Amino acid sequence: MTVRRITRERASRDLGALLFAALAGLPLTATALPASLHADPAALLAGDRVQAASSRLTFENRTSPCALLFDNRYWSAAPLDQPKDERARCMNEAAQGNLTARAIYGQMVTYGYGGPRDTEKGVAMLEAAALDGSLIARRMLGNLYRDGHAVPQNYPAARQWFEAAAEGGDPISAALLGAMSANGEGQPVDNAAAYGYFVKAAEAGSANGAANAAQFAA
C-alpha cells in the first residue's frame, strides 16, 4: 500500500520547507541517543554575543514569539520583521533557556536563515536541545537525516530520532515513522509496523495518522 507523503505532515509549519526540514544526530544504534560533543547550551551560545543562561536553566515555552513563528511561518511579533530579526529573537530566547527556541535557533544556524550558516554548530545545538528533552529538536534531527539536505542522508539515525520524539508523545514523529515503514525508507516495507505507528500517531492527536491507519485497516 502506498502512503501519501504525509511524512511531511506539518512541514509547512516547521518554519518553511527551505529552512525547517530538520536536523539529526550521528550514525546510531537502535535505542540509545548519542552523547553530544557540544551538549552545553551556554557554551554553544557564547559565541553569538548573548549572555547564555546556565545549562541547568531549561524550560519549554511554546507560546513565546520565537515558538509562535515556528508554529505559523507567517506570524510575526512585528509586521516588518526580517529574517535577521527573527533569528535574533530566537537567539535571545534560547539564551534564556527556552528549549523550543534553542531548537529553532539551532535550525536557523544550520541552514543559515537570517545570518551566517554553520551546519556543524547548528546540529550541535539541536542535539543539545534534544538531549535536554526537546521533542521538536528530536523531530528536527529526524527530518534532517531523513531528507539529507544539510547532512548526509541517514535513515537509521532519522528513525532513531523520530523514535525518541514519538516515545515522548510527539504525534508527528509517530506518523513519520509510519510513513517510513510503509514506504520502505532504509528498510523493507513493513505494513504492520506502519499501521502501529499510525495508530500511535492517531491516539496522540494526529489527523494524518488517523487517516492512514484507517487506510491500512480498510
Side-chain angles (χ1 to χ4, degrees), residues 2-216:
T2 300
V3 176
R4 55 194 176 89
R5 293 187 74 85
I6 58 96
T7 66
R8 274 39 172 191
E9 177 178 340
R10 195 180 165 191
S12 62
R13 299 179 64 189
D14 280 4
L15 204 51
L18 174 64
L19 169 65
F20 281 32
L23 282 175
L26 304 168
L28 309 170
T29 52
T31 53
L33 292 178
S36 172
L37 298 177
H38 308 284
D40 183 359
L44 288 169
L45 291 165
D48 290 329
R49 298 182 223 175
V50 167
Q51 182 61 46
S54 165
S55 59
R56 292 176 295 178
L57 177 60
T58 59
F59 60 92
E60 194 87 58
N61 183 355
R62 296 295 303 275
T63 62
S64 71
C66 177
L68 290 173
L69 173 68
F70 173 78
D71 281 332
N72 181 356
R73 182 64 189 91
Y74 300 102
W75 184 92
S76 178
L80 300 180
D81 265 355
Q82 299 296 314
K84 65 180 179 62
D85 302 316
E86 298 168 346
R87 177 162 167 158
R89 181 175 296 110
C90 290
M91 179 180 68
N92 287 325
E93 290 185 21
Q96 297 305 311
N98 185 352
L99 279 175
T100 302
R102 281 171 54 191
I104 297 170
Y105 180 61
Q107 190 146 270
M108 288 176 165
V109 172
T110 298
Y111 287 97
Y113 181 83
R117 175 172 179 166
D118 188 334
T119 299
E120 182 179 1
K121 182 175 182 179
V123 171
M125 288 179 172
L126 282 171
E127 289 179 347
L131 293 170
D132 279 346
S134 170
L135 300 184
I136 291 175
R138 294 175 185 180
R139 189 203 315 153
M140 287 177 171
L141 287 165
N143 277 328
L144 184 76
Y145 277 104
R146 182 180 177 223
D147 292 337
H149 296 316
V151 298
Q153 190 174 62
N154 186 329
Y155 284 131
R159 181 174 292 277
Q160 185 174 357
W161 284 112
F162 286 142
E163 288 278 9
E167 288 172 7
D170 182 42
I172 298 174
S173 292
L176 290 167
L177 285 165
M180 289 184 72
S181 297
N183 295 331
E185 296 179 43
Q187 65 175 45
V189 171
D190 188 339
N191 288 335
Y195 177 72
Y197 284 125
F198 288 136
V199 169
K200 183 174 184 177
E203 291 174 346
S206 168
N208 277 331
N212 281 285
Q215 183 180 357
F216 273 76

